[in-house]
Amino acid sequence: MIKLFLLFFTTVMINIYGSEYNYPFKNPYKATILGSSMLMTDGVPETVPTKKYKIKIPPFETPPSNLWYEQGYEFAVSAQKKKAPLIFILSGTGAKYDSTRTKLFQRILYGAGYHVITVSSAFSTNFITTVSSSKMPGMLLQDSLDVYRALENMYKTVQNDIEVSDFYLMGYSMGASHSAVVSYIDESVKTFNFKRVFMVNPAVNLSVSANILDDMLNKNIGDNKENIGILVDRVIYKALKKSNGSSVSLNEETLYKLFEKEHLSNKDMQALIGLAFRLISVDINYVTDLLNNTKVYVKEPVGKFTNMFPYFQIVNFASFNDYLTKLAFPYYRNIIGTSMTMEKLLATSDLEQFKFYLKNSKKIAVVTNVDDFILTENNRKFLKDTFGNRVLMYPKGGHCGNMFYSENVKIMLEFLEEGTLNENK
């Protein structure tokens, strides 16, 4: 059945392009690791003028002592010298505004004539600390309301320096999911009246996708957290060796960069992708516990110079499911009461709740991949049923692996400019 499904979509892509879709990586895991931060498009400027900002978005709360550096929400603007459309880029899960992937989109879109504002993920430590109203992300609507408030404040900060013709919005991975809901909010608030919204490899249900990524790590390390420690030790050793002993930041992009030239088995690649997500989950577990004083991991006040290693041991590679069960569910159940069940909480992370709007909003388009492993068959069916001829499923690319491939970039720019996907011409 799966082979017939892939054959069908390959045939569809041949009909669209007049030739086979020639993205080079057939393995979805290899595509994700090698392609997700690789620009495969000509004519994109090497550098773009960029101004960085750090602003306090009301109601701003002074962060705990050991997060002293989080004194405002950070973002960047690349402004054209003349009147132009402005596009916001919503980063993927846990990524900051200056992550490699976000900056590649920044270069592409600036080169295409847009003012560009790059936006950190609602799951980044900076966003949770300085913007999030709950300090407990995961509810799509609540998180997107926070993102919308951030967009308003960012634009207010720069509006006297740029002349804007129209507003656009795009996001990748979880940023794509948030962009759909931000657009929904804007229909009522109308601060921006977004002309078009482009979603790249969205998660349909956050908890479903998170469980898939968690399982990719768990099944390949024998469900033994000690093996995660061994894997992390290997990564740190490799990172320090490559950096000649300098400190390095362990995140999704640096992990993929470290292993891009190694011949990894599917099992190794799955473990690496799962580990990258697990490190994001560890941050979320720790930061939300600290900020909400729930004392799951952080039992005593933490000072500016407190040794963090004991806390890292206590968090012990906590998963996203740990976050849901130990922190998010008790938090929301305490606020809402016993009517809040885990099933209801998980439903708040699903795009299904916005299906009517998404089905009828012609300004929103989605691109994803048949082999995107964060999606289930039901997720893909939801996208097709909801967006119809406004969704395009490439036959290969993994999760975000083909975002910067020339054909994908061309279709993105054509949609933003003309409002139609390539296959609908």
Side-chain angles (χ1 to χ4, degrees), residues 74-77 89 97-98 102 106 116-120 154:
E74 300 171 348
F75 67 100
V77 178
I89 302 173
Y97 73 98
D98 58 355
T102 303
Q106 175 191 40
V116 181
I117 294 183
T118 55
V119 185
S120 294
M154 283 185 274

Side-chain angles (χ1 to χ4, degrees), residues 331-349:
Y331 173 87
Y332 286 110
R333 190 179 178 90
N334 183 56
I335 293 174
I336 298 171
T338 55
S339 62
M340 171 56 78
T341 63
M342 179 61 80
E343 183 180 5
K344 288 181 179 179
L345 178 63
L346 297 182
T348 68
S349 71

Side-chain angles (χ1 to χ4, degrees), residues 106-371:
Q106 175 191 40
R107 287 168 53 193
I108 290 167
L109 291 163
Y110 180 85
Y114 293 85
H115 302 300
V116 181
I117 294 183
T118 55
V119 185
S120 294
S121 166
F123 285 83
S124 68
T125 298
N126 181 242
F127 190 98
I128 297 171
T129 306
T130 64
V131 180
S132 176
S133 55
S134 65
K135 314 297 185 192
M136 196 71 72
M139 286 187 168
L140 265 177
L141 181 57
Q142 184 59 60
D143 294 344
S144 298
L145 284 166
D146 290 332
V147 172
Y148 195 82
R149 180 162 48 90
L151 300 188
E152 289 180 312
N153 279 271
M154 283 185 274
Y155 178 59
K156 183 179 179 181
T157 301
V158 304
Q159 64 181 344
N160 293 329
D161 301 322
I162 58 176
E163 191 176 3
V164 176
S165 56
D166 292 294
F167 293 93
Y168 293 74
L169 179 66
M170 71 85 60
Y172 65 92
S173 192
M174 198 61 202
S177 309
H178 285 133
S179 68
V181 188
V182 167
S183 180
Y184 167 79
I185 294 166
D186 189 58
E187 296 290 354
S188 298
V189 183
K190 298 187 181 300
T191 297
F192 303 108
N193 290 305
F194 293 114
K195 189 171 182 177
R196 293 194 182 96
V197 179
F198 196 71
M199 301 167 61
V200 181
N201 290 100
V204 172
N205 183 295
L206 169 60
S207 62
V208 167
S209 293
N211 282 332
I212 290 171
L213 291 166
D214 275 339
D215 287 345
M216 284 175 65
L217 177 61
N218 292 337
K219 72 181 182 181
N220 287 300
I221 51 93
D223 284 318
N224 186 340
K225 286 189 175 181
E226 288 185 7
N227 290 335
I228 303 179
I230 294 170
L231 181 56
V232 169
D233 285 344
R234 177 188 171 195
V235 169
I236 291 174
Y237 173 78
K238 190 175 182 67
L240 290 174
K241 187 176 180 181
K242 192 168 184 176
S243 67
N244 294 318
S246 303
S247 62
V248 289
S249 210
L250 283 187
N251 55 42
E252 187 176 28
E253 289 165 348
T254 56
L255 280 180
Y256 293 169
K257 196 74 175 173
L258 284 171
F259 291 90
E260 65 180 354
K261 294 183 180 179
E262 291 196 11
H263 296 289
L264 302 174
S265 66
N266 276 353
K267 180 177 178 178
D268 289 336
M269 288 189 286
Q270 288 175 2
L272 186 61
I273 292 167
L275 176 62
F277 180 70
R278 182 61 59 88
L279 294 177
I280 295 171
S281 297
V282 168
D283 282 347
I284 294 171
N285 272 274
Y286 172 74
V287 170
T288 55
D289 180 48
L290 175 67
L291 294 175
N292 288 287
N293 195 31
T294 46
K295 293 183 168 59
V296 173
Y297 305 110
V298 185
K299 309 290 186 182
E300 300 174 358
V302 181
K304 183 175 180 179
F305 302 107
T306 299
N307 177 13
M308 297 308 299
F309 185 72
Y311 294 97
F312 185 75
Q313 288 181 306
I314 294 170
V315 175
N316 192 25
F317 302 111
S319 66
F320 193 82
N321 189 60
D322 289 325
Y323 166 68
L324 287 176
T325 56
K326 296 179 181 180
L327 291 159
F329 179 64
Y331 173 87
Y332 286 110
R333 190 179 178 90
N334 183 56
I335 293 174
I336 298 171
T338 55
S339 62
M340 171 56 78
T341 63
M342 179 61 80
E343 183 180 5
K344 288 181 179 179
L345 178 63
L346 297 182
T348 68
S349 71
D350 200 318
L351 284 176
E352 176 74 36
Q353 60 193 306
F354 306 101
K355 183 172 183 176
F356 181 80
Y357 168 69
L358 298 175
K359 190 163 190 166
N360 292 282
S361 182
K362 305 304 180 187
K363 66 183 177 184
I364 304 177
V366 180
V367 293
T368 188
N369 302 314
V370 173
D371 63 354

